[in-house]
Amino acid sequence: MRINEPNRVGMINAYNKTANNQVGKSQKIPMGKDEVNISTEALEMQRQIEDANAPQRREKVEQLKKQVEEGTYHVPSERIADKLLSFLEKAINQFSREDEEKREHG
């Protein structure tokens, strides 16, 4: 069985060479400048989060929770119908556009 292989000495020497070539603590490497750009959408989301945490908003949410728990919360059926119709119109328009694009390209 062989313990000392001649190639291992070469590996140790290669390690020593790279260790000696490392930059010392006194030498500084010029670094680039970091920069962050935040999109307007992200800024708007941040503003909405901050608005949601406003004391008035929290108070309103607590009132609504209380009404729901007590069974006194009421939404006018007209508002529900308007929202449903608006949603369905958007869905139908999207479906129509996709169908039209398929016919043009297909």
Side-chain angles (χ1 to χ4, degrees):
M1 178 161 100
R2 215 171 174 183
I3 296 175
N4 294 329
E5 295 177 5
N7 291 338
R8 288 189 183 200
V9 173
M11 289 172 47
I12 293 171
N13 287 339
Y15 173 78
N16 286 336
K17 285 180 184 176
T18 56
N20 291 336
N21 289 335
Q22 300 246 341
V23 175
K25 291 182 181 177
S26 63
Q27 296 176 340
K28 291 188 178 181
I29 298 174
M31 301 295 280
K33 205 175 198 183
D34 291 338
E35 188 176 310
V36 175
N37 293 320
I38 301 175
S39 69
T40 55
E41 291 86 4
L43 291 172
E44 178 64 22
M45 287 174 61
Q46 182 180 6
R47 187 191 63 74
Q48 289 175 356
I49 289 170
E50 290 168 355
D51 288 350
N53 292 328
Q56 301 91 352
R57 177 78 174 166
R58 279 183 286 185
E59 185 179 319
K60 182 176 181 177
V61 169
E62 289 302 318
Q63 287 175 348
L64 290 173
K65 281 183 182 180
K66 186 178 177 184
Q67 288 177 354
V68 169
E69 288 172 359
E70 295 173 351
T72 59
Y73 179 71
H74 175 71
V75 178
S77 57
E78 295 83 20
R79 284 185 60 193
I80 295 172
D82 287 342
K83 292 290 183 178
L84 281 172
L85 285 173
S86 173
F87 174 79
L88 290 172
E89 286 173 350
K90 288 179 185 176
I92 290 170
N93 289 337
Q94 179 66 30
F95 179 75
S96 296
R97 273 187 255 123
E98 289 174 0
D99 191 45
E100 205 171 289
E101 288 176 5
K102 285 180 184 176
R103 286 188 210 158
E104 289 175 1
H105 299 290

